[in-house]
Amino acid sequence: MGSEYGSLHIFFFPLMAHGHTIPMVDMAKLFAAKGVRATIITTPLNALTLSKAIEKIKSLESKDIHIQTIKFPSIELGLPEECEHLDSIPSGDYMPSFLRATQFLQEPFEQLLLQQRPNCVVADAFFPWVTDSTAKFGIPRLVFHGISLFSSCATVIMSLYQPYNNTSDDSELFVIPNLPGEIKMTRLQVQDFVMKDDLDFNRFWKEIKESEVNCYGVVVNSFYELEKVYADCYNKVLGRRQWCIGPLSLCKRNMEEITYRGKEVCIDEHECLKWLDKKEVNSVVYVSFGSMVDLPNSQLLEIASGLEVSKQQFIWVVGKRKEEGEEWLPEGFEKRIEGRGLIIRGWAPQVLILEHEAIGAFVTHCGWNSTLEGVTAGVPMVTWPVGAEQFYNEKLVTEVLKIGVSVGVKKWSHFGEDGIKWDTVEKAVKLVMVDEEGKEMRNKAKVLAHMARQAVEEGGSSYSNLNALIQELSSLFHKCFFEYKD
């Protein structure tokens, strides 16, 4: 297959954020393994990190992956110098400026299209202008959302029907119409930009939706068996083409690839595994809220107290900012939980940890990468959504797949708020780890994990979808080539 598609060249253009870049790099590896020439488009500072990630590739027959940089106008748009990644913005207040800055990438990107003439562009949904750019050169553009099909369907339907307008207060439940499963939400759980027409991001979101309608199709980090009802809804009801080619995290098969995801880990992976090796099967709770969530110290105190009182063993990943001062921990906490709990301050090898047999539950913010990694590892979840589309993912986990329990967060926010008390944390963790209900969730999760691995193996749904997509793009290329020759 490699030689058959060797003339095919695809650009991969992720948003400069870990949750978007990591799966896009995984995707580039998948295409490269099929013999496709893959070029990742990014900015100079992000290129340094991506270069290290690509160096870890040892298992691919083809290593035809390249990085091409374009300048990011951080200073020109009022951002701090060398602010080229969402992880580097000082606060959420800088998010609008960061997104505006990405629009100034259009001209240099089009210069790259003119120079290299790729056969296809896979670009992040947060770059809606790419659809217009590729159309100028007759190049098919594929959108990568980085979210589930369940969330994609819910988001589109919510925009079309606006069911939240039929409620009398923010806490009243409403059903998302025409979405399979009788899914109920409240206004408090809906993204603020969806309901407020005066916000800049609302206008930006409309551009995203329009670019998706006009593009060639959508590639999805999921597998058909996980959310087949919503895959069919996306295709038949919404009339949009999609290819499920995930879970993309399964493309990492050697230790270095699994460990190195986004940034250098701040803990020795071998020491981490040695710690887990001493624990019994399904006996450890893994707690992580992703790279963007920054919970207040008061909420972290409640989490610490809940974990301690639960008597469960745990690994807890906290942000790097927590290195300075320990006011977010109860006095004497680390001494009391010594041997039972492990706190990781910074970046953790999440996939490596989740796939260890000692992990019995995952307390997660329900970002799609984390959610899918939990599914792939066969681990039931305690869901703690914060912002973005995470409340939709919670519904998928708890109500559709039935492999998790909600901790009870009521309100959508940008980066996390206070509100969950220690006893609620204790109850949710013990339900998944100890109760019969948790055992049932674990059994269902293990079945889904088996399906995930089958999907990416030869003959599986994602394996076949990837081949079909590459074959289609190759046919387009050859058709255009011969028409040009004639």
Side-chain angles (χ1 to χ4, degrees):
M1 181 173 288
S3 59
E4 184 180 351
Y5 301 128
S7 56
L8 203 61
H9 182 199
I10 299 179
F11 276 7
F12 294 86
F13 193 9
L15 179 70
M16 292 72 75
H18 293 303
H20 297 246
T21 302
I22 290 171
M24 190 81 89
V25 171
D26 290 344
M27 193 191 308
K29 291 180 183 181
L30 279 180
F31 277 83
K34 299 290 185 180
V36 175
R37 183 187 177 201
T39 298
I40 300 172
I41 311 300
T42 191
T43 64
L45 287 179
N46 289 295
L48 297 175
T49 303
L50 292 183
S51 296
K52 292 178 183 178
I54 291 172
E55 286 171 7
K56 306 296 181 183
I57 302 171
K58 295 180 179 178
S59 58
L60 297 179
E61 293 179 9
S62 169
K63 298 180 181 178
D64 200 6
I65 301 180
H66 309 271
I67 297 175
Q68 187 76 51
T69 62
I70 49 181
K71 185 180 181 296
F72 190 76
S74 51
I75 298 176
E76 294 89 329
L77 272 295
L79 293 166
E81 189 176 1
E82 298 188 343
C83 181
E84 298 181 9
H85 195 285
L86 271 180
D87 194 36
S88 63
I89 63 174
S91 71
D93 295 335
Y94 285 85
M95 177 76 83
S97 295
F98 187 90
L99 292 177
R100 275 197 303 274
T102 64
Q103 297 171 18
F104 286 81
L105 299 175
Q106 183 169 3
E107 184 177 342
F109 178 72
E110 290 182 3
Q111 288 298 315
L112 283 181
L113 293 180
L114 181 63
Q115 293 164 11
Q116 299 198 23
R117 295 283 180 160
N119 307 112
C120 176
V121 173
V122 181
D124 198 284
F126 277 73
F127 300 145
W129 47 265
V130 170
T131 297
D132 292 333
S133 295
T134 52
K136 292 179 183 178
F137 299 93
I139 298 171
R141 183 262 171 107
L142 293 168
V143 170
F144 177 63
H145 269 300
I147 64 176
S148 64
L149 284 167
F150 177 92
S151 297
S152 291
C153 290
T155 301
V156 173
I157 290 171
M158 200 77 92
S159 297
L160 285 173
Y161 297 100
Q162 302 178 356
Y164 43 81
N165 287 333
N166 300 322
T167 58
S168 57
D169 63 68
D170 288 345
S171 299
E172 182 182 344
L173 287 168
F174 61 84
V175 176
I176 302 178
N178 298 324
L179 183 70
E182 282 288 300
I183 304 301
K184 296 179 180 180
M185 306 278 290
T186 70
R187 282 205 304 242
L188 287 174
Q189 297 171 325
V190 179
Q191 301 102 312
D192 59 3
F193 58 83
V194 170
M195 296 186 292
K196 298 178 182 178
D197 290 333
D198 58 333
L199 290 180
D200 287 340
F201 200 85
N202 183 271
R203 185 170 60 253
F204 179 58
W205 192 251
K206 287 179 180 177
E207 292 174 3
I208 289 175
K209 289 187 292 183
E210 289 171 4
S211 72
E212 181 183 332
V213 170
N214 295 321
C215 76
Y216 191 79
V218 177
V219 281
V220 185
N221 183 17
S222 186
F223 57 102
Y224 180 76
E225 293 78 7
L226 182 68
E227 40 181 349
K228 54 188 175 183
V229 175
Y230 304 99
D232 294 341
C233 175
Y234 195 84
N235 288 349
K236 297 172 184 177
V237 178
L238 302 181
R240 303 180 185 190
R241 302 186 75 198
Q242 57 79 20
W243 290 266
C244 284
I245 61 173
L248 293 170
S249 61
L250 287 178
C251 80
K252 291 178 165 61
R253 287 303 90 204
N254 65 57
M255 173 73 96
E256 282 189 305
E257 287 183 88
I258 294 172
T259 301
Y260 194 94
R261 288 177 65 78
K263 293 195 293 188
E264 291 282 359
V265 296
C266 66
I267 185 173
D268 184 276
E269 63 269 22
H270 300 289
E271 290 299 316
C272 187
L273 291 179
K274 279 170 62 178
W275 190 89
L276 285 168
D277 287 341
K278 297 175 184 177
K279 309 301 179 182
E280 294 182 4
V281 174
N282 299 327
S283 67
V284 178
V285 181
Y286 177 63
V287 185
S288 177
F289 292 88
S291 59
M292 292 296 295
V293 177
D294 192 12
L295 294 175
N297 287 339
S298 55
Q299 185 64 86
L300 296 176
L301 277 166
E302 299 289 342
I303 294 172
S305 299
L307 290 172
E308 182 176 2
V309 174
S310 75
K311 303 297 183 185
Q312 302 301 307
Q313 300 179 99
F314 63 88
I315 293 178
W316 183 11
V317 182
V318 295
K320 203 166 186 179
R321 71 178 179 88
K322 303 303 177 190
E323 290 177 344
E324 297 180 7
E326 298 296 323
E327 68 276 7
W328 54 279
L329 283 177
E331 188 175 349
F333 176 79
E334 290 193 86
K335 187 174 182 180
R336 292 194 300 273
I337 57 94
E338 189 173 354
R340 179 164 72 85
L342 176 64
I343 297 177
I344 299 177
R345 293 168 170 81
W347 195 261
Q350 180 161 292
V351 170
L352 198 68
I353 292 171
L354 284 173
E355 291 188 349
H356 196 283
E357 64 179 7
I359 300 299
F362 181 15
V363 180
T364 173
H365 68 306
C366 299
W368 183 239
N369 288 331
S370 291
T371 301
L372 191 56
E373 287 163 9
V375 168
T376 304
V379 178
M381 297 173 230
V382 175
T383 58
W384 194 313
V386 175
E389 88 295 354
Q390 294 157 16
F391 279 91
Y392 295 141
N393 292 336
E394 178 183 60
K395 296 292 183 181
L396 177 65
V397 169
T398 60
E399 297 182 17
V400 178
L401 303 176
K402 300 185 187 303
I403 58 169
V405 58
S406 172
V407 79
V409 180
K410 302 294 185 185
K411 186 178 180 181
W412 187 95
S413 65
H414 284 285
F415 294 100
E417 292 187 356
D418 213 339
I420 303 300
K421 300 302 180 184
W422 66 266
D423 54 341
T424 306
V425 177
E426 177 200 14
K427 181 180 177 181
V429 167
K430 290 175 75 171
L431 186 152
V432 175
M433 293 294 288
V434 180
D435 293 359
E436 279 300 315
E437 189 177 345
K439 293 178 182 177
E440 292 176 14
M441 293 177 189
R442 184 167 293 107
N443 290 336
K444 291 176 181 176
K446 296 298 182 187
V447 171
L448 290 174
H450 179 66
M451 290 181 179
R453 280 164 170 75
Q454 282 188 317
V456 298
E457 292 172 357
E458 187 170 357
S461 59
S462 293
Y463 183 96
S464 300
N465 284 340
L466 178 63
N467 284 349
L469 174 57
I470 294 176
Q471 179 63 60
E472 186 170 327
L473 294 174
S474 182
S475 297
L476 275 178
F477 164 61
H478 285 102
K479 179 183 177 183
C480 292
F481 177 76
F482 285 115
E483 284 179 352
Y484 176 77
K485 282 190 71 176
D486 290 342

